[in-house]
Amino acid sequence: MENTPVPGTAAALAAIVGADFVRTDEESRHVYGTDALKRGHPADVVVLPADTAEIAAIAKYCHDTRTPLTPRGGGTGYTGGAVPVRGGVVLSLERLNRILEIDEANLLAIVEPNVITGDLQDAVERVGLFYPPDPASLRSSVIGGNVAECAGGPRAFKYGVTRQYVLGLEAVLPTGAIIHTGGKTVKNVVGYDLTQLLVGSEGTLAIITKVILRLIPQPPAAATLRATFPSVEHAVDAVMRLLRARVIPAALELIDGDSLEAVARNLGVRSLAPAGTAAVLLIEVDGLTEQVSGEADRVAAACTEAGATELLRAHDDAERAELWRVRREISLSLKQVAALKFNHDVVVPKARIPELFRLVDQLKRRFALPIPSFGHVGDGNIHVNIMVDPQNTDEVRRAREAERVLFEGVVALDGSISGEHGIGFSKAPYVGLQLTPETIAIMKQVKAAFDPHGILNPGKMFP
Ligand SMILES: Cc1cc2nc3c(=O)[nH]c(=O)nc-3n(C[C@H](O)[C@H](O)[C@H](O)COP(=O)(O)OP(=O)(O)OC[C@H]3O[C@@H](n4cnc5c(N)ncnc54)[C@H](O)[C@@H]3O)c2cc1C
């Protein structure tokens, strides 16, 4: 694949979208060439189409001229998915940002891809409905990006991830063909399930131009609790006990001692929890008012039986926000620990979380690096953050080694190297640790069927 587009690309794209919506200036090429991974590559041309027809014409042009084409949503991806690693055209969907319909009778919403996730949640909540997927980036990432990555969040354990809410799609193939998959019904078994194939395909198979999303009624009540424990094992024991009590929390977050300390330091307080705290659980239950209070009691009992050293229960929204504050402050606080984090979103069966934390402890000692970890304990999805000074080449080398050992360990624990951030280009070298050559080969055949010339988001996903 050529690194530069054929001469005349900008002019050809301007003929499709209008000159005002094509960018070739230095700043745009760089801004649209990076995401939250912060390892970018400049685009040659940035194009901002207005609708599906323009996107189809752009795809056909890139297909015919063999020009790399990279779709871009909110640009918050953590694995470089929206980075045009081979240059070429970045197709920003930012002008396709309308909620087209909230259908209360059929419990669904039809949206363009660049609706900000949090805006959709607010809009449906105003009519008493609920769109549960809640990536922490929900105020800056968009539905199309969430669908392309199959984003998850704290609510995934009870409510599922983005995948569970996508009923149908309109998408443009790399050839310029427009397809419609799924539809407005929950039940639909006609043909291969291309909707679910496109969910999580990281912009490598098609450009998503419209999404039909399933909605559910908004739960009327919620209760939030915070429990502290002397070890991760105690915290996971509490999780197992509350599951045995048949409570499925809407959120179940685990924060380790290192993350807690980073937050305390950043907030300038001596401590956020009793001395000796090595793990904190944040637990939220939701549902009907009468059911929530009983579930909260069962959560409290499970934590106490598992050896919680402190148990707090929010009584109003202000207290609820205060309990969540520690969790919300982690990302910002980790910036004080080191300038760069290798942010991993590994996932293991939840009973094996203590083994994962033991592995992380070994990595800390072996590679002499801080590795604060926290995450969605209900579904075994833990954010393991290997912290490094990017100027220190030896630290970066050790972090790379630690990363590989982490991924090998996670696969050995029957887990997965990515639970929600996807592969992009940063994790592509490690895919072979988890998938067999036969599995990768069939995936490559799928890719070739959609994208015979390999123009759509090249350099991603595969080792
Ligand atoms: C502070 C922060 C917190 C985060 N927390 C979470 C979290 O809790 N859970 C989680 O899952 N992720 C999280 N993320 C990662 C990120 O927000 C998600 O992966 C999100 O889904 C990316 O959406 P985006 O709109 O920013 O996509 P982008 O970064 O723009 O793109 C991501 C991928 O999707 C493709 N893509 C985008 N739009 C389309 C489209 N319309 N059609 C086809 N392909 C497309 C791109 O080519 C790329 O491969 C977080 C990121 C940050 C910075």
Side-chain angles (χ1 to χ4, degrees), residues 311-323:
L311 189 66
L312 302 175
R313 191 161 165 172
H315 295 99
D316 54 35
D317 282 352
E319 285 184 14
R320 191 174 164 203
E322 186 55 30
L323 291 190

Side-chain angles (χ1 to χ4, degrees), residues 67-78:
T67 304
L69 175 63
T70 302
R72 179 183 179 87
T76 68
Y78 267 141

Side-chain angles (χ1 to χ4, degrees), residues 76-398:
T76 68
Y78 267 141
T79 54
V83 174
V85 289
R86 307 251 169 95
V89 176
V90 164
L91 187 152
S92 171
L93 290 134
E94 66 201 60
R95 293 173 67 205
L96 283 78
N97 59 4
R98 290 174 306 160
I99 297 173
L100 300 173
E101 190 181 343
I102 295 173
D103 179 345
E104 294 181 54
N106 291 305
L107 294 177
L108 54 88
I110 304 179
V111 302
E112 291 185 330
N114 262 49
V115 170
I116 292 178
T117 308
D119 290 351
L120 175 69
Q121 289 181 339
D122 295 345
V124 304
E125 281 174 25
R126 280 195 288 274
V127 294
L129 294 176
F130 190 35
Y131 175 68
D134 59 342
S137 56
L138 61 86
R139 292 287 156 200
S140 47
S141 67
V142 300
I143 294 293
N146 290 178
V147 172
E149 295 287 357
C150 191
R155 293 186 191 131
F157 178 47
K158 178 167 182 178
Y159 290 105
V161 293
T162 303
R163 180 179 300 291
Q164 273 82 41
Y165 294 87
V166 184
L167 291 177
L169 296 170
E170 175 189 85
V172 173
L173 300 184
T175 54
I178 299 169
I179 60 166
H180 295 88
T181 73
K184 289 187 174 183
T185 56
V186 171
K187 290 184 171 177
N188 184 344
V189 289
V190 179
Y192 294 129
D193 192 343
L194 295 182
T195 308
Q196 294 301 327
L197 178 60
L198 293 184
V199 177
S201 65
E202 301 193 22
T204 63
L205 298 180
I207 302 154
I208 295 158
T209 50
K210 207 176 282 173
V211 188
I212 306 175
L213 291 168
R214 186 167 73 92
L215 305 174
I216 59 175
Q218 193 183 9
T224 305
L225 296 94
R226 193 189 92 164
T228 55
F229 297 90
S231 73
V232 168
E233 278 83 354
H234 284 82
V236 174
D237 182 33
V239 171
M240 296 305 166
R241 285 174 189 269
L242 66 91
L243 295 183
R244 276 199 294 274
R246 299 293 177 254
V247 179
I248 304 291
L252 186 49
E253 297 286 291
L254 176 98
I255 301 164
D256 80 348
D258 290 353
S259 307
L260 198 65
E261 203 181 303
V263 175
R265 219 174 306 134
N266 193 38
L267 295 179
V269 296
R270 272 190 54 210
S271 170
L272 287 160
T277 297
V280 174
L281 280 184
L282 268 172
I283 309 149
E284 193 153 288
V285 288
D286 68 0
L288 300 173
T289 313
E290 53 278 19
Q291 160 201 347
V292 162
S293 129
E295 287 201 343
D297 289 345
R298 279 186 278 159
V299 168
C303 291
T304 307
E305 285 159 19
T309 50
E310 183 185 72
L311 189 66
L312 302 175
R313 191 161 165 172
H315 295 99
D316 54 35
D317 282 352
E319 285 184 14
R320 191 174 164 203
E322 186 55 30
L323 291 190
W324 273 101
R325 186 166 175 215
V326 175
R327 174 67 178 87
R328 277 202 322 269
E329 294 283 343
I330 295 178
S331 284
L332 207 61
S333 304
L334 291 187
K335 290 195 174 130
Q336 312 297 326
V337 176
L340 183 66
K341 65 176 174 191
F342 286 18
N343 170 356
H344 295 306
D345 60 320
V346 296
V347 53
V348 295
K350 54 184 155 298
R352 306 199 77 169
I353 286 176
E355 291 172 81
L356 174 62
F357 273 88
R358 280 198 285 280
L359 171 64
V360 170
D361 278 340
Q362 286 164 16
L363 297 178
K364 285 182 204 168
R365 284 195 297 276
R366 179 168 160 196
F367 297 102
L369 292 167
I371 314 184
S373 305
F374 60 92
H376 321 303
V377 64
D379 40 45
N381 185 195
I382 301 296
H383 295 284
V384 176
N385 302 283
I386 306 174
M387 307 303 298
V388 289
D389 170 3
Q391 310 301 331
N392 184 330
T393 47
D394 187 55
E395 266 192 18
V396 173
R397 182 191 54 76
R398 279 184 276 136

